[in-house]
Amino acid sequence: MMRAHSYELRVRLDGEDMLLELYEMPPIGQQDKGRKGTRVTHLRESQLSIVQGAISRALKNNKHTFSEVKRTRKLPFKLNEEDGVRMELIFKAISSVKKRSKVEDIVLGIENMPREEAFYWHAKVTKGSETSTSNGLKAMRILLGGD
Amino acid sequence: METKGVIEVCTPREDIIEGVVSDEVYAAHLGQVRDERAPIVYADPNTFFRNTYPTDGLKTTIREVFSRLSGSGKSGSPLIKLETSLGGGKTHTLIALYHLSKHGSRCPGADRFIGDMDFDPVNVSVTIGTEMGVKQVDSGPKTIWGHIAKNLFGDSGYQKVLEEDREMFAPDEIALRNLFGDERCLILIDELALYLAKAVTVDVKGSNLAKQTIVFLQTLTEVAASCRNVVVVLTSLSKDSVFKEESEEILRYLDSDIKKERAKDAIGDAEKIVSRMVMTLTPTKGEEFSAVVRHRLFESVDMDEAETVIKAYMADLSSEGNIDYLPQHARGKKYLEDLRSAYPFHPELINILRTKTSSVVNFNKTRGVLRLLSKVVRNTWNEKRNVLLIHPYEIDFRKQDFVEEVVSRLDKGEYQSALAADISNQREPPRSARVDEQFHEPLGTMISNVVFLNSITGAVGTDIEHGVKEVEIYLSMARPGFDLKKAKDALGLLEDNCFYMVRQGSKFAYQTEPNLVKLIEDSKDTVERTRAREEVRDRIKNLYSGKRYFQPIFFPNEPVKVSDDTERTKLCVMDFDDCSIKGKSQKVPSNVRSIYEQAGSQKVPRIFANNLLFLVADEEQKALMEAKSIEYLALSQLVKDIEEGHSYLTSMSSQQKDRLKKAKQEAELYIKVAIVVCYRHVVLPSVQSSLEAQGGRPMRILSMRVSDTEAKNNLANNMGQDQVLVDFLRDNKVAMTSDDNVSPEYILSQLWERRRESMTTDDFRRMFFKNPVCGLILTEDLIRKSMKEGVKDGDWVVIVGKEIYDKRNHSSFTAPFDSTSTIILMGTETYREQTTEFYCATCGARRPCKEHEGEGGISLPDQPMEPKCPKCGRKVKECVCHSQRTIRFERFSIDRIWKDLELKIIDGDIQKFEWIRIRATNRNSLIKLTNALPQFGKVDMDFHVNFVINQRPSGGNLLELRYEGNRDGFNSLRQIVTNYEAKADFSAHDLSMMIKFADGIGSEALVKLLKDKIAMFTGEELYSLEAEPMERA
């Protein structure tokens, strides 16, 4: 049986700005074998307000609160696999989208996906060649946010 | 080095400390100074200059103006425009110029401003657009040139332009040169734009006064440029000052759009003309701002001590531990400068006031800041707060003074409820105060003050200026010896607790509307758990109260609560605290079991065990149910608070209120959904115990699979939960309603007590409620229907009073349930005994029989009764429990039986029989048969004896005897069976005797046995006999 992966949300400072970085951690039970997490994506502070609700819910699911997200936070926020997958999708999907309404649509769409669909898209945008993952990301953006 | 607090380092001006500075003091007014009506701070040149900080702009302006007018040879500008936004010190500059022109370079207190310049007083004209009308008053001047001439030279000057003034025609160059002559003149014009706006409404022969004024302005500038004795100082000519807020006065003049357009054009034209040769000066530059403020508020500041404090701050801001908290620029040289210039205020305080608060239109930059800061200073000194720097949080919104200054005066009343809820409240502790309790100092309130001050901006709605970044908060809080981690903790707590403080991305801000999510979360905290559970219980009672199918019994915890009767089926809704079922477990909770098995306070066995069912909560769903209840209660409380108009909610917009109300309605639905989803386990009486069930009477657990959506739809459609439950039970074939059918055959095989021949109709009904074999009977109609069915099919007849109902008159049968009506199986002894009076003994037709009227005696009905399998009770044709080859003889004498048997043997070519079973039909036949038993020889015999002699109704005895076993046992009972009260009749009897032949018995031998040995004993008595042929090898 495949073990569930877990995710971590970490706060990093980039000058005055705060970055939220998402790390994918090795499957539970294998972290003690010297395997470290890999940084999969990040979110800039300027984009924070628009996805605040989604992050706040994901943190809540994992027994954290959004008010703990402060620039000096050193401990990572642990996320379960599903929330981590959704966060990765959201961070990646909105990274180059400018229009606010579109970002909102995408975030809402990802949040409302059934679990299976979220994992499907996660596979589409993370696994495979660079072309296929970037096409996957485009496809999801169009699906959720319109052209 | 020791650092000293502001009280030790600075000496505020007396008027600031005493608070004698009246509000209008801050509103410098040139007209009042001219008319000598101004407060002393402006009217007295000495006081005025002492209180004024010599900014570069001010000094430059003075130099420009007076170097030209002093004739010292240095060339200054003839036309100066003072460019600042509101409150930038331009009126202040005009007053300074006015004083200097009146007193010359010997003006008291002006040394710092004029340097080494030396000049005499000059003629000065003050023209203020706001006070100048466009209509003639008395015989005074009508036009701006009339005013200027009169101001400069009195009536004699006015006479020189009298004609132009009357005709409202701009004077030409010659007229102006003539007017000024060699006299040195300073012409101050303030608020010209406003005047122009008014002037467009006055028509002057194909033109208007504004146009003429512009022509005059052009001429004036040309004249001023060409002769060295005239200087014109204008303030900015911007349309904004007129049109940004169209005051009532302006609207009185500009009552149409055309006029407004013309006014705009006029101002634009004037601007163009002026800008051709103007020198633009800014009286107060940004960086001088704090110096201006400090100068006005403090008599003296010991800058050496201040430097110590500043160094200490700088060291703290650059310390290793604070790097992550603070912005980079806080460690830079520039910030050191900021600290110096802002001292004794924190640079952030000055910064916020300058950039954010000043963007509020009626704050009026310099004046507003001065007003506010003078209050801060007074407060600091009065309370002897000897702090190192005056931080932004010193503007403490718990104090009414500051609230008035920042909130009321600036028309920011929409923030009042935010203040009341989160910062300052007389009646109950505000949210920030709750945070304060966690720390040694009121950090919550301090940070709230910072965020609040940062939220009051002119740019409401945009997030450009509104609010404050996390780093800026820390910067506002940072001071030597203070651990910023505490500030971080306090900020986190505030974020969680304050209703109106929100985080929008990187910024924190106070909003005018409360944050609903926080409100709800907070309200949830106040809901007591017990109250929430009570609510759930109330809701459960409400949901399952439907009495159409069930009699609901809520939360029974002992058997006595559930009566043991045949009334409506009892729906026992078990308390979720008492018991629950986990997942797919089949373990029946113990208190369900005890209620099911016992009844009454004495805990006797429950009789009508098929008349109740249990609804049990799901272990995992319980928490959700409670959570929903808490949410609902929290929302109800909020909605109630809104309706009662609680102060902390008054600012809520009607949309927010509607959203809350809607949320409450939804919560009400969701609590129901949660209950329905939670109460998914039905525990039922059963005939077959499931594998995992433990001992005791069999029960089974059925779990409903309810999805949220489904539950929601059902609830929304007002579908009663009893109906949902019934549908579920029927789908699972464990409950019957009047729509279902129980066939008489099924009743006879499964329910009817074997070998019982009759019962009262009431017993018939009760029978259904005792035995779960048919499933729950939700309506007695069903039993009635089955009873009729049996009559119709000829399975039984029913005697009601004097009437018998059988298949011939079933349609008029009403199937009453009582203890006098009897239901009798067809073809039984009882049937024969009981029905003689109803049927003709000869033909079996109903009496009165037309053919055999008058004949008496017992008779069987016409058709011979269909034989039934004694084992399964089915008609022999349908019997499945025996092989079809079994040969049966029903109610014949043995003599007759062996003859028939002989024929059957020949027909079936039967060699051997495995066993035979003989059944006696009445007492006599039984006795005779027992006498014949030895004749069978030594073979295995299996006896089933069941007889009852009941004479209780007639005052006699009751014997019930049941025996199953071998011949030896039976032998010892024989005496009783044959001799017990020999004359009494059997009320019910049954004796069957199975004789097994180990190697079978030959067909001929069997016939011989019956014919020669048994028949002798049994004589004419009737018996039933079955014989099982042996399979051939």
Side-chain angles (χ1 to χ4, degrees):
Chain A
M1 198 186 110
M2 270 182 68
R3 285 168 190 270
H5 285 238
S6 66
Y7 283 79
E8 284 185 5
L9 203 56
R10 300 183 191 170
V11 174
R12 190 165 71 80
L13 292 184
D14 178 25
E16 258 174 57
D17 276 352
M18 183 168 81
L19 286 186
L20 279 182
E21 296 184 318
L22 189 69
Y23 279 77
E24 186 176 350
M25 305 305 287
I28 293 156
Q30 291 189 17
Q31 281 156 12
D32 50 347
K33 293 177 187 164
R35 292 176 58 184
K36 294 210 171 70
T38 39
R39 179 172 176 272
V40 287
T41 176
H42 70 272
L43 185 81
R44 299 213 150 264
E45 195 172 3
S46 54
Q47 295 167 303
L48 192 58
S49 70
I50 211 160
V51 290
Q52 192 171 326
I55 297 178
S56 164
R57 279 183 281 279
L59 288 174
K60 205 169 179 185
N61 287 345
N62 293 276
K63 311 256 184 299
H64 297 291
T65 64
F66 189 72
S67 62
E68 290 172 57
V69 179
K70 290 273 145 62
R71 20 192 313 117
T72 48
R73 170 92 184 186
K74 294 280 187 288
L75 284 177
F77 298 98
K78 292 202 185 314
L79 298 181
N80 64 33
E81 186 172 30
E82 187 181 337
D83 287 317
V85 161
R86 283 183 206 273
M87 283 301 110
E88 185 174 348
L89 285 179
I90 289 175
F91 287 10
K92 281 188 169 162
I94 67 165
S95 64
S96 60
V97 182
K98 293 274 182 304
K99 213 167 146 192
R100 193 179 166 106
S101 65
K102 206 165 149 186
V103 174
E104 278 171 1
D105 287 346
I106 293 174
V107 173
L108 195 71
I110 295 174
E111 274 211 283
N112 288 341
M113 278 178 184
R115 185 187 149 88
E116 293 74 17
E117 197 187 347
F119 278 80
Y120 165 82
W121 281 112
H122 184 253
K124 282 273 171 232
V125 305
T126 57
K127 305 282 185 293
S129 71
E130 202 168 307
T131 336
S132 76
T133 55
S134 85
N135 283 344
L137 206 52
K138 266 186 231 158
M140 187 175 70
R141 275 189 201 130
I142 291 170
L143 177 75
L144 300 173
D147 57 341
Chain B
M1 251 186 298
E2 204 182 324
T3 48
K4 289 186 178 169
V6 286
I7 291 188
E8 293 164 274
V9 180
C10 311
T11 316
R13 293 186 188 277
E14 254 175 51
D15 54 352
I16 301 293
I17 290 296
E18 285 166 8
V20 294
V21 191
S22 60
D23 282 355
E24 53 281 12
V25 164
Y26 297 103
H29 204 279
L30 183 59
Q32 288 176 353
V33 176
R34 178 197 58 202
D35 303 342
E36 296 177 359
R37 288 184 287 120
I40 193 124
V41 284
Y42 292 113
D44 175 40
N46 197 9
T47 323
F48 175 78
F49 283 113
R50 197 158 43 97
N51 283 347
T52 303
Y53 179 81
T55 63
D56 284 347
L58 182 52
K59 284 197 278 189
T60 314
T61 312
I62 289 169
R63 199 172 53 243
E64 286 290 329
V65 170
F66 289 101
S67 64
R68 188 175 177 87
L69 289 181
S70 67
S72 62
K74 291 175 196 160
S75 62
S77 285
L79 184 63
I80 294 171
K81 190 171 79 171
L82 300 175
E83 193 69 70
T84 68
S85 57
L86 222 55
K90 70 191 176 205
T91 311
H92 216 83
T93 309
L94 291 177
I95 293 173
L97 290 174
Y98 179 80
H99 279 310
L100 287 172
S101 57
K102 281 284 179 198
H103 299 90
S105 54
R106 278 163 296 283
C107 178
D111 312 352
R112 288 180 299 142
F113 297 84
I114 55 179
D116 55 358
M117 280 198 294
D118 184 22
F119 53 88
D120 294 324
V122 298
N123 293 323
V124 59
S125 156
V126 172
T127 311
I128 301 162
T130 42
E131 59 177 30
M132 248 180 72
V134 288
K135 293 207 175 82
Q136 191 171 24
V137 187
D138 300 331
S139 60
K142 264 175 157 179
T143 62
I144 196 162
W145 47 93
H147 274 280
I148 290 173
K150 191 170 184 183
N151 286 344
L152 289 172
F153 306 108
D155 282 340
S156 65
Y158 180 50
Q159 288 302 323
K160 292 183 184 172
V161 292
L162 185 63
E163 198 182 334
E164 286 88 346
D165 185 53
R166 289 282 153 80
E167 298 293 323
M168 292 196 282
F169 260 83
D172 56 13
E173 261 189 66
I174 300 161
L176 284 183
R177 282 180 200 282
N178 185 29
L179 173 68
F180 296 135
D182 292 332
E183 293 289 335
R184 283 175 296 178
C185 304
L186 176 59
I187 299 167
L188 306 177
I189 305 174
D190 198 4
E191 312 274 11
L192 181 62
L194 212 75
Y195 175 76
L196 287 174
K198 289 188 267 185
V200 287
T201 60
V202 180
D203 287 331
V204 183
K205 290 176 188 160
S207 169
N208 61 46
L209 186 54
K211 283 190 179 164
Q212 288 303 317
T213 308
I214 292 165
V215 172
F216 166 72
L217 207 60
Q218 189 166 12
T219 320
L220 179 66
T221 53
E222 277 162 16
V223 170
S226 62
C227 55
R228 302 185 51 81
N229 57 340
V230 177
V231 175
V232 181
V233 180
L234 285 166
T235 55
S236 61
L237 274 165
S238 88
K239 291 173 202 147
D240 288 356
S241 61
V242 179
F243 293 100
K244 194 166 184 181
E245 277 187 77
E246 296 177 332
S247 65
E248 258 177 58
E249 195 203 347
I250 283 299
L251 287 177
R252 208 165 55 228
Y253 288 100
L254 305 178
D255 49 4
S256 72
D257 285 344
I258 299 172
K259 284 182 184 167
K260 278 182 197 169
E261 276 309 306
R262 276 159 62 187
K264 277 180 192 172
D265 289 346
I267 295 168
D269 289 346
E271 172 89 61
K272 259 184 236 162
I273 286 166
V274 169
S275 59
R276 271 179 216 156
M277 46 197 315
V278 79
M279 174 179 187
T280 304
L281 288 174
T282 307
T284 314
K285 291 196 187 108
E287 55 267 29
E288 287 169 328
F289 186 83
S290 27
V292 170
V293 168
R294 179 166 62 201
H295 187 84
R296 177 65 188 90
L297 296 178
F298 294 97
E299 190 80 54
S300 70
V301 176
D302 184 342
M303 281 317 279
D304 292 337
E305 292 292 349
E307 192 63 24
T308 322
V309 174
I310 290 161
K311 288 270 160 59
Y313 262 84
M314 213 54 211
D316 181 63
L317 296 180
S318 338
S319 73
E320 191 64 30
N322 285 342
I323 280 181
D324 283 352
Y325 289 98
L326 299 174
Q328 252 165 351
H329 72 82
R331 296 185 281 279
K333 267 198 182 137
K334 171 81 171 55
Y335 205 71
L336 180 67
E337 284 306 313
D338 287 352
L339 276 167
R340 277 197 191 116
S341 62
Y343 187 88
F345 299 104
H346 194 287
E348 290 307 302
L349 174 56
I350 301 292
N351 196 20
I352 296 166
L353 294 179
R354 251 192 66 217
T355 58
K356 296 193 174 149
T357 323
S358 295
S359 62
V360 183
V361 178
N362 41 0
F363 184 67
N364 197 324
K365 209 173 203 172
T366 319
R367 280 183 230 158
V369 174
L370 280 174
R371 280 169 51 93
L372 183 53
L373 288 183
S374 71
K375 285 193 175 171
V376 175
V377 170
R378 194 186 315 153
N379 184 57
T380 308
W381 260 258
N382 285 349
E383 292 190 1
K384 303 207 172 13
R385 289 179 57 78
N386 195 14
V387 289
L388 293 178
L389 281 186
I390 298 173
H391 283 247
Y393 52 73
E394 295 291 333
I395 299 182
D396 189 345
F397 291 100
R398 287 179 298 185
K399 297 200 167 72
Q400 201 49 40
D401 231 12
F402 294 119
V403 174
E404 262 164 30
E405 194 66 31
V406 177
V407 181
S408 320
R409 251 180 60 87
L410 302 187
D411 275 345
K412 294 285 177 185
E414 63 263 34
Y415 283 98
Q416 285 286 11
S417 14
L419 277 173
D422 288 351
I423 301 179
S424 150
N425 197 329
Q426 309 299 326
R427 281 185 297 171
E428 47 185 307
R431 304 263 129 194
S432 308
R434 298 188 194 180
V435 177
D436 292 348
E437 289 163 11
Q438 315 275 323
F439 303 94
H440 291 300
E441 51 186 331
L443 285 181
T445 306
M446 286 156 88
I447 295 177
S448 285
N449 284 333
V450 172
V451 176
F452 190 81
L453 190 61
N454 272 292
S455 306
I456 304 282
T457 67
V460 178
T462 67
D463 41 16
I464 307 161
E465 293 211 64
H466 191 63
V468 54
K469 282 187 167 184
E470 198 185 340
V471 279
E472 292 168 346
I473 294 177
Y474 297 143
L475 184 56
S476 299
M477 296 297 292
R479 60 169 201 263
F482 176 71
D483 184 4
L484 283 176
K485 188 177 176 304
K486 283 190 208 154
K488 186 195 86 178
D489 295 344
L491 181 61
L493 285 170
L494 285 176
E495 197 183 339
D496 288 340
N497 279 295
C498 287
F499 289 152
Y500 291 81
M501 193 171 114
V502 293
R503 182 167 177 180
Q504 294 158 325
S506 58
K507 289 198 171 184
F508 291 82
Y510 266 96
Q511 290 196 325
T512 51
E513 290 185 350
N515 182 337
L516 284 189
V517 179
K518 271 190 208 165
L519 268 183
I520 296 167
E521 284 301 318
D522 186 79
S523 181
K524 275 187 195 171
D525 288 344
T526 63
V527 176
E528 291 166 7
R529 303 255 309 201
T530 46
R531 173 79 191 82
R533 278 153 185 259
E534 278 317 305
E535 180 68 31
V536 172
R537 290 193 178 101
D538 288 350
R539 295 273 157 191
I540 291 173
K541 284 183 188 166
N542 215 322
L543 272 173
Y544 295 97
S545 61
K547 293 199 171 65
R548 184 162 164 218
Y549 299 100
F550 304 108
Q551 176 197 346
I553 297 171
F554 293 106
F555 319 125
N557 49 4
E558 49 180 342
V560 69
K561 300 267 170 72
V562 185
S563 53
D564 187 15
D565 56 34
T566 60
E567 298 295 306
R568 213 163 271 263
T569 308
K570 278 127 203 91
L571 174 65
C572 307
V573 184
M574 302 303 286
D575 195 304
F576 48 91
D577 272 344
D578 287 348
C579 66
S580 57
I581 291 175
K582 200 172 175 183
K584 295 195 171 87
S585 158
Q586 285 294 320
K587 191 167 180 289
V588 176
S590 60
N591 42 0
V592 169
R593 182 163 287 287
S594 78
I595 292 173
Y596 177 56
E597 289 177 351
Q598 298 164 349
S601 52
Q602 300 300 313
K603 304 203 168 158
V604 296
R606 186 170 289 276
I607 297 168
F608 301 106
N610 190 36
N611 201 26
L612 74 174
L613 77 164
F614 300 86
L615 210 51
V616 183
D618 186 81
E619 174 75 29
E620 280 150 26
Q621 298 287 331
K622 270 160 65 178
L624 186 71
M625 195 164 68
E626 203 179 314
K628 291 289 175 196
S629 162
I630 289 176
E631 191 165 326
Y632 167 72
L633 289 172
L635 283 163
S636 319
Q637 184 61 45
L638 280 177
V639 171
K640 202 172 142 220
D641 282 358
I642 290 173
E643 277 157 8
E644 289 173 2
H646 274 242
S647 64
Y648 74 106
L649 293 170
T650 44
S651 68
M652 207 176 254
S653 65
S654 56
Q655 286 107 314
Q656 277 194 317
K657 286 178 185 168
D658 288 346
R659 265 169 67 196
L660 268 188
K661 280 176 192 162
K662 216 174 142 212
K664 180 195 160 191
Q665 282 167 4
E666 274 177 11
E668 197 169 356
L669 178 61
Y670 279 116
I671 180 177
K672 289 184 198 164
V673 170
I675 289 171
V676 172
V677 171
C678 183
Y679 273 88
R680 61 164 63 167
H681 301 292
V682 186
V683 187
L684 292 163
S686 168
V687 276
Q688 250 179 345
S689 187
S690 67
L691 284 176
E692 285 151 72
Q694 291 172 333
R697 290 195 208 179
M699 298 191 87
R700 71 191 274 209
I701 299 174
L702 288 175
S703 299
M704 289 185 261
R705 275 202 204 151
V706 204
S707 72
D708 282 7
T709 342
E710 207 177 321
K712 218 155 77 183
N713 286 341
N714 285 343
L715 288 165
N717 296 335
N718 278 329
M719 186 161 173
Q721 278 312 300
D722 53 341
Q723 184 64 52
V724 174
L725 193 60
V726 167
D727 288 352
F728 169 75
L729 294 173
R730 285 189 60 195
D731 286 349
N732 281 278
K733 307 207 183 333
V734 288
M736 305 250 182
T737 66
S738 48
D739 297 339
D740 296 291
N741 263 318
V742 186
S743 72
E745 286 86 357
Y746 190 76
I747 293 171
L748 285 174
S749 71
Q750 298 295 326
L751 211 53
W752 193 282
E753 213 175 310
R754 203 163 309 155
R755 298 182 188 99
R756 189 162 177 183
E757 295 182 346
S758 68
M759 60 175 82
T760 65
T761 51
D762 202 40
D763 280 344
F764 182 77
R765 178 179 69 89
R766 287 148 70 100
M767 179 173 81
F768 282 86
F769 294 110
K770 286 181 190 170
N771 191 335
V773 72
C774 289
L776 290 167
I777 306 298
L778 296 178
T779 162
E780 288 185 351
D781 287 350
L782 171 76
I783 305 173
R784 221 166 243 135
K785 214 162 95 179
S786 296
M787 192 152 89
K788 284 182 186 170
E789 193 82 0
V791 172
K792 185 181 163 198
D793 290 359
D795 290 296
W796 53 69
V797 295
V798 182
I799 299 170
V800 183
K802 295 279 179 214
E803 184 59 89
I804 186 166
Y805 292 96
D806 59 20
K807 59 200 278 182
R808 275 163 286 194
N809 62 348
H810 66 86
S811 53
S812 57
F813 180 50
T814 55
F817 295 129
D818 54 46
S819 53
T820 51
S821 308
T822 320
I823 175 164
I824 304 166
L825 286 191
M826 291 283 251
T828 57
E829 187 84 353
T830 322
Y831 173 82
R832 274 194 301 278
E833 285 162 12
Q834 301 276 327
T835 54
T836 44
E837 53 176 308
F838 299 105
Y839 296 115
C840 167
T842 317
C843 64
R846 284 179 84 82
R847 286 192 168 166
C849 170
K850 284 172 192 160
E851 292 175 27
H852 310 94
E853 193 57 27
E855 287 179 27
I858 301 164
S859 170
L860 288 168
D862 256 354
Q863 320 86 320
M865 228 185 67
E866 262 196 79
K868 293 196 175 187
C869 167
K871 196 167 174 184
C872 63
R874 290 183 174 83
K875 287 167 188 166
V876 171
K877 277 190 233 160
E878 297 152 13
C879 171
V880 289
C881 60
H882 290 280
S883 84
Q884 286 300 319
R885 301 183 61 216
T886 308
I887 296 162
R888 289 190 185 80
F889 303 94
E890 288 274 355
R891 302 178 76 90
F892 292 112
S893 68
I894 295 294
D895 264 330
R896 168 78 188 275
I897 287 171
W898 71 256
K899 283 171 191 157
D900 285 358
L901 184 63
E902 208 165 31
L903 293 173
K904 294 247 179 195
I905 288 168
I906 294 162
D907 290 345
D909 189 23
I910 298 162
Q911 302 295 316
K912 274 184 171 180
F913 287 93
E914 198 176 341
W915 52 258
I916 59 169
R917 192 201 322 258
I918 306 172
R919 195 173 157 211
T921 56
N922 60 30
R923 183 169 178 156
N924 251 342
S925 66
L926 176 65
I927 294 167
K928 287 186 174 169
L929 183 62
T930 54
N931 290 335
L933 283 179
Q935 303 302 324
F936 286 98
K938 290 206 170 181
V939 287
D940 274 348
M941 289 188 185
D942 191 15
F943 288 84
H944 286 258
V945 179
N946 188 4
F947 71 97
V948 179
I949 298 171
N950 188 3
Q951 295 178 315
R952 296 298 282 176
S954 52
N957 303 325
L958 165 70
L959 170 74
E960 285 189 27
L961 183 91
R962 182 163 173 228
Y963 172 75
E964 286 178 19
N966 59 17
R967 192 168 171 174
D968 294 340
F970 181 70
N971 277 337
S972 27
L973 294 173
R974 241 173 88 184
Q975 289 303 311
I976 302 172
V977 175
T978 51
N979 295 340
Y980 179 79
E981 290 193 357
K983 285 175 189 165
D985 272 324
F986 286 84
S987 299
H989 60 84
D990 189 3
L991 178 136
S992 72
M993 177 178 87
M994 192 174 195
I995 303 158
K996 288 181 183 156
F997 304 94
D999 297 315
I1001 180 169
S1003 310
E1004 286 176 18
L1006 180 61
V1007 175
K1008 203 165 186 288
L1009 178 70
L1010 293 173
K1011 178 182 163 189
D1012 295 338
K1013 296 187 174 162
I1014 312 299
M1016 286 165 56
F1017 291 92
T1018 57
E1020 291 304 308
E1021 291 300 332
L1022 302 179
Y1023 295 94
S1024 297
L1025 184 139
E1026 292 168 70
E1028 178 74 12
M1030 191 175 244
E1031 294 289 336
R1032 286 179 205 183

